[in-house]
Amino acid sequence: MARGLGKGIGALFPTETLENLQPNEDQIEKIDLQKLIVNPFQPRKKFEDEAIEELAQSIKEHGIIQPIVVRKKGKKYEIVVGERRFRAAKLANLTEIPAIIRDLTENQMMELAILENLQREDLTPIEEAEAYQSLIEKLNFTQEELAKRLGKSRPYITNHLRLLQLPDSVIQLINNGELSMGHGRTLLGLKNKRRIPEVADKVLKQSLNVRQLEALIKQLNEEVSRETEKAVKKDIFVQATETQLRERFGTNVQIKKSKNKGKIEIEFYSEDDLERILEILQLEQE
């Protein structure tokens, strides 16, 4: 499961912006639940019914300790932070909820919603990856910049983002907790990408752990290699060179030779991954 941000919202937003979001007794207002609408930029796709019910029970016993944050939208209010509390308050049959009203742009609203969710402990690896992707796209960060700002390593960010390359059916399995992030990363190593859903199904049916899946992927990839092997076999030198290149570039590298010519194939998984490889080659994109 996700462990939240290393540095938190403060790493991305100036102090004065954060101070505007802190509760102040004379700034808190009671707002009718019927006047609230959910955040259209909410990155969280799944709200656990059991967790909402537990929060509703706590609200019945202790009330709402921390107000939600909203912004005015016509005659209604959009929830910026606190949709779980809003849902639980409705379930607890409350008619109003304490809230801080803030004047925020749509970009600020979206960014705060994403960051608030990233700080939670119960995000799935996919939800975490989608949050990183949104921040990269909306704030124009590179993976390296985002990693530094959030106190994460670049491989940590990259490994999550790579999960989004999986087929939708497999992404759903990870979101539901039926497959782990380790399973997802291992499935991405399958050479025949079209077989990923089939292999994922086999993992579920046979209850394969990650190590067992790694062995299966290795076997399947060897079969692919044998099927596509050319008349000229790779000699020991070529195999050793491939290994060196894979370690150098941190991705799959293949040297393919025929009688009169050959080529080197370097795999990349995103524009950012390509940029990383080009930096290693000391090249710049035009």
Side-chain angles (χ1 to χ4, degrees):
M1 285 297 179
R3 292 297 175 193
L5 297 183
K7 296 182 179 178
I9 291 178
L12 289 155
F13 288 90
T15 304
E16 58 270 19
T17 302
L18 295 177
E19 288 174 349
N20 289 338
L21 290 172
Q22 301 306 312
N24 186 313
E25 204 168 310
D26 61 358
Q27 296 173 332
I28 298 173
E29 298 185 24
K30 295 275 190 175
I31 295 182
D32 191 323
L33 288 179
Q34 294 183 347
K35 291 185 177 181
L36 292 171
I37 53 180
V38 298
N39 187 342
F41 305 110
Q42 169 63 257
R44 183 178 291 274
K45 305 297 189 296
K46 187 177 180 181
F47 289 85
E48 296 290 344
D49 292 339
E50 186 177 344
I52 297 296
E53 288 172 6
E54 289 177 0
L55 182 56
Q57 187 59 41
S58 174
I59 287 173
K60 286 180 181 178
E61 294 177 11
H62 308 291
I64 296 177
I65 298 172
Q66 184 178 10
I68 65 173
V69 179
V70 301
R71 75 164 185 166
K72 197 83 165 61
K73 184 74 171 180
K75 294 183 178 180
K76 294 194 177 276
Y77 298 87
E78 283 184 333
I79 299 171
V80 180
V81 173
E83 186 170 336
R84 289 177 72 256
R85 277 164 279 164
F86 163 69
R87 288 170 179 257
K90 288 177 67 177
L91 194 59
N93 295 317
L94 298 189
T95 58
E96 55 185 17
I97 191 171
I100 303 168
I101 302 172
R102 287 290 171 261
D103 184 17
L104 300 169
T105 66
E106 289 200 348
N107 276 346
Q108 289 174 321
M109 182 177 176
M110 173 197 64
E111 291 157 10
L112 285 170
I114 291 172
L115 290 164
E116 191 262 347
N117 274 283
L118 271 175
Q119 290 200 332
R120 296 190 55 79
E121 298 287 324
D122 58 351
L123 284 180
T124 70
I126 296 298
E127 287 176 330
E128 190 174 352
E130 289 173 339
Y132 292 146
Q133 187 63 41
S134 294
L135 288 170
I136 286 170
E137 291 176 353
K138 304 302 182 183
L139 301 182
N140 296 316
F141 287 147
T142 64
Q143 289 183 25
E144 186 70 32
E145 289 170 337
L146 184 61
K148 287 180 180 178
R149 284 176 179 255
L150 299 185
K152 301 286 186 182
S153 69
R154 176 167 177 160
Y156 182 93
I157 301 291
T158 301
N159 287 333
H160 277 78
L161 291 173
R162 285 190 63 205
L163 295 177
L164 301 180
Q165 298 168 25
L166 289 164
D168 290 343
S169 60
V170 179
I171 284 177
Q172 190 60 46
L173 291 174
I174 296 175
N175 246 343
N176 293 340
E178 296 175 76
L179 291 179
S180 70
M181 179 175 175
H183 284 111
R185 289 179 59 188
T186 304
L187 286 168
L188 285 167
L190 192 63
K191 288 182 179 178
N192 187 346
K193 305 300 184 188
R194 289 175 296 181
R195 296 192 64 183
I196 288 179
E198 169 198 336
V199 176
D201 187 55
K202 189 170 185 176
V203 171
L204 295 177
K205 288 179 178 177
Q206 298 184 10
S207 299
L208 301 180
N209 59 34
V210 174
R211 282 189 175 276
Q212 292 169 326
L213 176 58
E214 287 173 349
L216 175 60
I217 296 292
K218 182 179 179 181
Q219 177 188 333
L220 293 173
N221 285 344
E222 286 173 353
E223 290 174 2
V224 170
S225 296
R226 285 195 293 270
E227 290 171 3
T228 58
E229 192 174 27
K230 303 297 182 182
V232 180
K233 281 192 172 184
K234 293 178 183 176
D235 56 32
I236 296 176
F237 170 76
V238 171
Q239 292 178 32
T241 304
E242 280 184 339
T243 300
Q244 289 179 325
L245 290 173
R246 288 186 189 120
E247 291 175 354
R248 174 70 174 127
F249 291 106
T251 189
N252 188 42
V253 179
Q254 289 191 44
I255 298 174
K256 298 183 178 181
K257 293 175 62 179
S258 61
K259 289 183 178 179
N260 301 315
K261 62 180 182 179
K263 61 181 177 180
I264 298 175
E265 292 184 354
I266 304 174
E267 289 187 5
F268 63 91
Y269 302 95
S270 65
E271 288 296 325
D272 218 54
D273 201 24
L274 173 59
E275 182 183 336
R276 177 184 65 81
I277 292 169
L278 292 178
E279 286 176 3
I280 294 173
L281 291 169
Q282 295 185 331
L283 297 175
E284 292 184 359
Q285 289 178 291
E286 294 182 356

